[in-house]
Amino acid sequence: MIIVAISPKYKADVEGDGVDEHGLHTKYIHNQIQNEYIQQGCLNFRLVPVMFPNAAKTHVPSWLQSTRIYRWPQDTQDLLLRLLREERYIIPHRSADLTLTFRPV
């Protein structure tokens, strides 16, 4: 999984003029994950966008806005469940011996 940390600085780095003054290659990595997202038919299997307190929905890249965006720290439990690939609610098992009763009306 790839956690995308959404912040105003991230948006400025990926939509900026192309100069990587930090040496972090943010724009290159952003382009690579965007290409993977497109190659997967715009289905999100690995990307986990996390919005930090100083970020807003406008800081999320437009191509990533159609997926589930987690807010830190409000969505901590949901985020952990996603990273662990676990469900919040476990569906009860259905018993094998179902009984159907028909009554004429």
Side-chain angles (χ1 to χ4, degrees), residues 10-62:
Y10 177 75
K11 177 145 178 126
D13 284 348
V14 298
E15 293 182 356
D17 59 2
V19 177
D20 185 11
E21 57 195 46
H22 316 296
L24 299 175
H25 308 291
T26 307
K27 194 169 209 166
Y28 172 78
I29 295 168
H30 174 81
N31 289 337
Q32 292 298 321
I33 61 176
Q34 183 179 14
N35 288 338
E36 178 181 324
Y37 180 78
I38 292 168
Q39 288 173 357
Q40 295 294 329
C42 296
L43 298 174
N44 186 10
F45 297 113
R46 295 184 352 139
L47 302 176
V48 182
V50 179
M51 228 170 36
F52 286 94
N54 61 341
K57 183 85 169 178
T58 57
H59 296 119
V60 179
S62 59

Side-chain angles (χ1 to χ4, degrees), residues 75-88:
D75 297 332
T76 305
Q77 184 178 8
D78 292 338
L79 178 60
L80 290 175
L81 288 172
R82 169 78 186 271
L83 294 175
L84 295 172
R85 297 177 188 223
E86 293 183 8
E87 296 293 327
R88 177 186 288 269

